[in-house]
Amino acid sequence: RYGSARSSTASKTEKVAVLAPIPSASVAMARIELPGGFAADLSVKFENVVGLNANALALTATVVNPKDLALLSRLGSGVSVPAAFPVVVKIEPTASSALSFEGVYTLSIYTHNLTLGANSPLRLYRSPAGGAFGDMTGYLQAGSVRAGGSGPGFSEFLIAADVRPVDSVIVGKFDTLESQLSGSSSAISPGVFADLQQRLNQARAAYNTGALSTAIDSVNAFADEVKNQSGTAIPNVWSANGGPANVAGTLRSSADTLKYSLVFKSNLTP
């Protein structure tokens, strides 16, 4: 059964809820209903989770001003907040949470307030609390929008409209993934790091020559190898109580959204 964001003592533009867990399915779910007719179903599905209960995670959904300059500065040029669903969702562990999970979660936001058309600019964005937002889209389903993607930890989420050229998006995602990989080199066993670097170089080289199918396959192979090496050669646990960074989750999440953009470009190419 869904946890609800309707009963709250928060302001009229903000609702607070505890995500209702379904431990047997490794899923937490919530129904969001806000003034102005804004509503959505949210789910978070884990690969392998411990401590998923009614006190594990708290959700805050807030109606925002789509023209708020502070918010837009966190999104960057070419990205805006759709007036039809100007909602920021924040998920964070509660003070008593003992939640931990391996790898990534998959988060989905489903709303009738938005409709997905061909080549839609709508994307799912994530940010560390108060930080810059970045594209985490792993999939979009047609009709009423269901936007989803994977993540390595909790933060703020919103559905945004991203009208940047797709090649600019792809290059940025390659840069982010390369930076994350190089920045985590000390946490990854040397042989595995070298192999992952080579796989990522191959993916970028294929993209640079227009071989999109090869680039997509190479990004898939990169993500698969990160998953295969998780827990032994690459740290892969997020914990509400702190601890080492979830390196594998970070790399897999970034590879996932890079693949989405490569597939999006491939579908646009005659």
Side-chain angles (χ1 to χ4, degrees), residues 2 19 28-32 34 38-45 59-61 82 85-91 105-114 116 122-126 133 136-150 155-160:
Y2 287 116
L19 279 84
M29 309 177 78
R31 172 69 178 173
I32 298 168
L34 292 161
F38 305 118
D41 294 319
L42 182 143
S43 69
V44 183
K45 182 173 178 60
L59 177 153
T60 305
F85 191 69
V87 176
V88 173
V89 175
K90 183 176 182 179
I91 300 175
Y105 59 77
T106 299
L107 181 139
S108 169
I109 298 176
Y110 176 59
T111 177
H112 293 292
N113 293 115
L114 297 169
L116 188 71
L122 296 176
R123 299 290 184 269
L124 182 61
Y125 266 61
R126 179 183 73 236
F133 279 93
M136 65 172 286
T137 312
Y139 64 86
L140 287 169
Q141 294 181 356
S144 296
V145 168
R146 186 185 300 274
S150 60
S155 46
E156 295 176 292
F157 306 88
L158 84 161
I159 296 176

Side-chain angles (χ1 to χ4, degrees), residues 3-7 15-19 30-31 57-61:
S4 174
R6 286 175 292 180
S7 58
K15 300 294 179 180
V16 180
V18 174
L19 279 84
R31 172 69 178 173
L57 294 169
L59 177 153
T60 305

Side-chain angles (χ1 to χ4, degrees), residues 254-270:
S254 292
D256 184 39
T257 191
L258 170 58
K259 175 190 171 184
Y260 172 84
S261 294
L262 287 167
V263 171
F264 183 83
K265 177 177 172 64
S266 178
N267 290 339
L268 292 176
T269 304

Side-chain angles (χ1 to χ4, degrees), residues 209-224:
T209 60
L212 291 177
S213 293
T214 301
I216 292 166
D217 289 343
S218 296
V219 171
N220 268 335
F222 173 92
D224 287 344

Side-chain angles (χ1 to χ4, degrees), residues 87-188:
V87 176
V88 173
V89 175
K90 183 176 182 179
I91 300 175
E92 56 189 349
T94 64
S96 61
S97 179
L99 183 77
S100 66
F101 66 88
E102 295 180 352
V104 296
Y105 59 77
T106 299
L107 181 139
S108 169
I109 298 176
Y110 176 59
T111 177
H112 293 292
N113 293 115
L114 297 169
T115 302
L116 188 71
N119 302 327
S120 171
L122 296 176
R123 299 290 184 269
L124 182 61
Y125 266 61
R126 179 183 73 236
S127 84
F133 279 93
D135 185 0
M136 65 172 286
T137 312
Y139 64 86
L140 287 169
Q141 294 181 356
S144 296
V145 168
R146 186 185 300 274
S150 60
F154 294 104
S155 46
E156 295 176 292
F157 306 88
L158 84 161
I159 296 176
D162 187 342
V163 297
R164 295 174 298 162
V166 65
D167 285 304
S168 173
V169 172
I170 290 171
V171 169
K173 289 183 178 181
F174 266 118
D175 289 346
T176 294
L177 186 51
E178 288 183 354
S179 176
Q180 290 169 339
L181 180 61
S182 62
S184 303
S185 60
S186 62
I188 303 173

